[in-house]
Amino acid sequence: MSKSASIISLFILSTFLTCWSVDRDDHTVSSLLPYLHDDSYAKFTLGGVISSTGLTQSAETGCGKNLGYIAAESYRHLGGSNTVKGYAKFTTGKIKDVSWNNSADFELVSPYVIGDPVGGDLTERGYDFGGAYAWNNRKWSIGVSAGYRAELFYRQRDPRDKITVSDLNVAISGSMRPGCGIYAVGVETDIRVYSQSSQIEVYSPTVNIPTYAMTGLGSWYPRFTGNSSESTAYSGFGYGITLSLLPIGEPSYATDAYIRFGNTDMRQYLREINNLHLTSLHILDMSAGISVLFRHHSGYIRPAGYLSLYNKTGDENLLGQATGNSYPVIGSRENYYKKRLNVGIKADSKTVIGRSSVGVAIGAEYYSRQERLISPSRTVNTDGIIPRLNVEWSYNIGESKCLSISGNVLHRFTHTGDMSLDLGTDAAITGSLMERNIAVIRSDFTTFGIGVTYSRPIFNGLTGAVSGRWQHSSYDIPDGNVNQFSLNITFTI
Amino acid sequence: MKKSLLLLVSAALCAGFSSCSDDNQPAQQLPHEISIINEYPEGFDTGSATALSVTFTELNTRDTYTLTSDAASESLTFLLPTGTYDYTGIITYTTTLSDNSDKTLQLRSIGSSVTVTGPTTLTLDWFMANAASDLIISEIYAAGSKNAAGTSGLRDAFIRIYNNSDHTLYADGLAIVESDFVNSRSNDYDILTPANDRNINFTVGAVWVIPGSGSDVAIEPGEYITLTDQAIDWSTQVEGALDLTGANFEWYDDVAQDTDNPSVANLDKWFSYSKTVWMMSNQCNRSYALVKFPEGMTVDKYLAEYKGSYDYLHPTTGTQMRKENAYLIPNNWIIDGVNLSNKEVFVRGALAVSIDASYASISDINGDKQRFGKKFIRKTAAVTPDGRKILQDSDDSAADFILVSANN
């Protein structure tokens, strides 16, 4: 590869990382692995993020985080017909001031969490690793991939949470190149096996911290409030199918596309009540994206569109009279649902002018969010539009040293739809929780940020890069400022 | 290839939007027929019932379902969805008192953890209750423990006020009063002053008020406060006597004959017929009531406006006499009342029959020395699922109270 081509590739890579385009690495099925990158690489990253989010996030997700991580990733063409990819990541740090949630992966298991109003910081240790292998000939390819995530969250003061997560994903896929042309199309099926265990302990005999088995929108199981449900667990199984279209090489006109359907069922158990099956969640998700890349002599322009749909329904089991520590399940009711739609269009371009490169990305997203509890009847519907603009300027200092400066701005225009939140007697318990969470959902906000990246060759094909980014958001609510700073040091070979 | 792409995206959009339609209604729980069999207290006349209401609360969901009827019957039917239910029932009925007046009373029924997964037969046990008295006199220990000589009672007497409701109530501002009239044969006066008619006013000889501004003395559901004469450990003086150092209030007369425990708050004395110390009737032959004064009542206003002096005919001499040292409590201020006596000499209660239709008896004979060490306690009518006792209050002390050892 020539030096100028290498610089353009680096520019394009940096744009990929910062301009929220269709992310090929995330959506490409494993059998298309051989076509994903022309060159093998290995990457080692040391990074961290510090954020303070005030009251702009739901209480269950906290008020920011201080996290550091080490990640390694390798992509290799082994010669002939074999390609492999592997990654490993260790994350450690703190999630600040989480309350009303004693579980991890809140987006996945909500609303069925055990919550307490006190909460506090959670220490996180996360291990994430996996790999993929693909074999291909000129027309066909097959691939397998697996990923495993293990996380531990804990708090060393009352209420003392201890949460462990085990999340395994396995996929198998096959692809073909119609007519051995410039496109490859692949299909992948995947399964997910998920488990989580969460314990709450209170050491101080003088502290009385109530716990609630939450059921959504400020409601809870009255039978499992107090100190009797201190240990909960989740067991989930999911499967999905992904179709992916990938251009091979660097044609002047190329289309990337994917579509994915997924289904996940999650069950919540109360460990201390004889593994009582309390609730179930059924999650259907679909996402699709397409981008069309037009290359020209000094860069490219790429319009894109994407869509994601998410549908979660929740069943509460009805329990009979306890015999000892066992409650018979006598029925169930579907009492909760949450729906989300995101659809957006965007276009990004990159133009190389001399030693500089200028990238611009504009886009707009429409989103709709519906959350409903059937009994007691509570509804929260919002929708809105988020226009965005990203710009990036990169300069080749010489000797393959590169400096990039990027900036972004977006604004969320929120519209409140049907809203019915009569908490009744629950107001005394979860009133402030719901007030905070609803304010976040209904708030307009503006986000802007700036980032700087400097990269340079170190020796023998090893490139080092340092990037820093600061992001600020301002919500129309009290204590509504978000500040986030991230720093990454990356070595690529 | 373009056609393939279009098909791919179209399929995604169609599938996505169809799943976004608002068709996600909950699976309805089919209702099941509940056959209710009512079991009433002995002698209850179902024809006297004017209203029946049973509220079922589903324990998992907190959904409530209420059955109402304008009459009681032996059986009823109702529909409930699958679930586990607690229930509370109230029957309002009318009874005719011995003075031929009508009084509205209540039966109640409570139950817990009734599982409904199909057609179910449910038996409701009804008991007598008086919903008006959320705060009630739950225990009376008037006789006191036997003194060291075995001749009389100690002053370890007490009265307990119990929260019979399901919500926090406040006792400050309430008064414990003792009747001026004695309920025994020797005091079978003909009262000549109309204002002292027991069906209008309760004539009292002692008025002790719980201090506070109205929200200082909270009593949680199922809890009680103890009012005593002297909040001391009587067991150090006489074996078997009570340790009352944990009492909430004591009535203290601030005279040399009385003893004050400074760590226990004193009741406010609004009035006492006694010029020295006031003691409960250890003969157990007077009446006691729990009183809620109207808003704005003060001790000065009360003493100025509710003087209860009365004229009466002496039962043996037939002479018209006058009693000056008494005050009046209008009957509608009384939230609970109990007549005490013994079976040998009881003639009538000082309280109106609408407040207490009978009396709680300390003994079959008058002057029984076996009365010492015995207290009156209310019967437990039911226990709620969370363990709270609901005490029986049918405004009929003979039925509501039992006699037990004071050490229980």
Side-chain angles (χ1 to χ4, degrees), chain A residues 243-306:
Chain A
L243 283 161
S244 183
L245 178 75
L246 190 71
I248 297 170
E250 294 186 351
S252 57
Y253 162 85
T255 299
D256 272 62
Y258 71 92
I259 182 168
R260 174 185 159 74
F261 296 92
N263 177 79
T264 304
D265 290 325
M266 189 71 63
R267 288 180 160 205
Q268 181 195 22
Y269 299 90
L270 297 183
R271 287 283 190 231
E272 292 179 349
I273 308 179
N274 207 16
N275 266 346
L276 176 65
H277 176 201
L278 193 62
T279 64
S280 299
L281 288 169
H282 312 286
I283 302 165
L284 290 168
D285 65 274
M286 192 282 283
S287 57
I290 182 169
S291 67
V292 184
L293 182 76
F294 299 95
R295 295 181 196 275
H296 52 79
H297 67 283
S298 57
Y300 68 84
I301 182 168
R302 178 171 50 187
Y306 62 90

Side-chain angles (χ1 to χ4, degrees), chain A residues 105 107-110 149 167-169 190-195 234-241 260-267 280-286 309-315:
Chain A
D105 297 330
E107 272 301 306
L108 179 64
V109 301
S110 68
R149 177 171 65 97
D167 192 2
L168 173 69
N169 289 270
D190 61 88
I191 59 168
R192 180 183 193 182
V193 180
Y194 180 91
S195 72
Y234 301 90
S235 175
F237 179 78
Y239 57 89
I241 183 166
R260 174 185 159 74
F261 296 92
N263 177 79
T264 304
D265 290 325
M266 189 71 63
R267 288 180 160 205
S280 299
L281 288 169
H282 312 286
I283 302 165
L284 290 168
D285 65 274
M286 192 282 283
L309 290 158
Y310 179 88
N311 187 80
K312 176 188 278 187
T313 57
D315 294 344

